[in-house]
Amino acid sequence: GNVIENNTFMYGWCSLYLHKSSYNIIKNNEITKGYWSGLNAYGGGNNIIYNNTARDNMGNGFNIGIESNDKIMRNVATENCDGMDLNDLIDSTISFNHVYGNKQYGICVDTCSNISILNNSIHDHAYKGLQLNECSNCFVSGNEMYENQAGLSIEASTRPSEPAHDNIVTNNNIPFVKASLISGFFIALGSYLSLSFTTFGIMGLILVQGIVQLSYNNWKWPLYIFKEFKISFFSFLRLGILESFNKIR
């Protein structure tokens, strides 16, 4: 095996590519600007992928496939297309990773078995935070998933040979689900009453949305984030302004 640490990998089809390479320790690297993916590991096993940051890759931040006994821990994946795409892994652990702000999915786990997905923070994705597709005997616990289109999705093919089975999902924190369902009910009710009994029209629908969301979601969850990350409102506002200027430049 090899030790690959404290590097910055930029550009190329993959910024860092491992092909049929095993018993490696890959840690403390910055992996960015890959045209297809950041880190691509294929066909090996027994690799430790630890404390790396995959940022601003056109495809997946981490793309790992046909491997066994890997440990993927304490990495950051952000501003990629998908944060992590894991295919055909066996007997591996994905834990304590921070996967956030990717354009589509957080972590996609496809046709894997005997995988432990533990204590990851997965948030702010246009689609699913964690997707298990045709996986079996996986254990999913202790993860926090919020501000995704769906926190967790378990899917299977229509082909009987590729079911999703014997997965255990327990003790995960998906904080917005109950509040979203309640808000949705009151938005639907308020919209019906507004259209049926007032002349407000479209403005009535907008007002209903605003009133319902302001009553809980629009203050509760920002406050939750401030407490979770121990930041003040003004620090958060300053960070948002700086990030906006960086994007414009």
Side-chain angles (χ1 to χ4, degrees), residues 119-228:
N119 303 306
N120 301 283
S121 179
I122 310 166
H123 59 92
D124 290 284
H125 297 100
Y127 300 123
K128 292 150 189 173
L130 174 59
Q131 175 174 282
L132 273 63
N133 185 41
E134 298 174 2
C135 293
S136 60
N137 298 292
C138 294
F139 183 64
V140 181
S141 182
N143 301 284
E144 184 173 56
M145 295 169 272
Y146 58 91
E147 286 293 337
N148 306 291
Q149 179 205 48
L152 170 67
S153 172
I154 300 178
E155 302 180 12
S157 169
T158 56
R159 292 168 290 185
S161 60
E162 297 179 353
H165 63 89
D166 295 309
N167 299 295
I168 298 174
V169 179
T170 184
N171 291 326
N172 298 283
N173 184 16
I174 310 176
F176 299 151
V177 173
K178 183 178 179 181
S180 296
L181 291 173
I182 294 171
S183 296
F185 169 77
F186 281 108
I187 287 171
L189 178 62
S191 298
Y192 169 75
L193 294 174
S194 176
L195 291 174
S196 298
F197 301 106
T198 75
T199 58
F200 292 151
I202 298 298
M203 182 57 67
L205 298 179
I206 295 170
L207 287 171
V208 167
Q209 287 265 358
I211 292 168
V212 171
Q213 298 293 2
L214 280 171
S215 67
Y216 190 76
N217 289 328
N218 283 2
W219 65 264
K220 168 66 177 181
W221 302 120
L223 183 62
Y224 177 91
I225 296 301
F226 297 155
K227 289 181 177 179
E228 182 73 14

Side-chain angles (χ1 to χ4, degrees), residues 84-104:
M84 294 184 174
D85 198 6
L86 313 173
N87 300 278
D88 297 294
L89 296 188
I90 301 171
D91 300 324
S92 297
T93 301
I94 301 99
S95 62
F96 294 100
N97 300 286
H98 190 189
V99 181
Y100 70 99
N102 298 285
K103 296 178 181 69
Q104 294 190 17

Side-chain angles (χ1 to χ4, degrees), residues 29-33 37-39 51-57 60-63 75-80 82-84 98 100 102:
N29 299 289
E30 181 82 17
I31 306 164
T32 186
K33 307 291 185 184
S37 65
L39 168 61
N51 202 39
N52 303 281
T53 297
R55 181 189 304 272
D56 196 23
N57 296 283
N60 307 315
F62 295 85
N63 195 67
N75 301 285
V76 173
T78 185
E79 298 178 17
N80 309 288
D82 295 345
M84 294 184 174
H98 190 189
Y100 70 99
N102 298 285

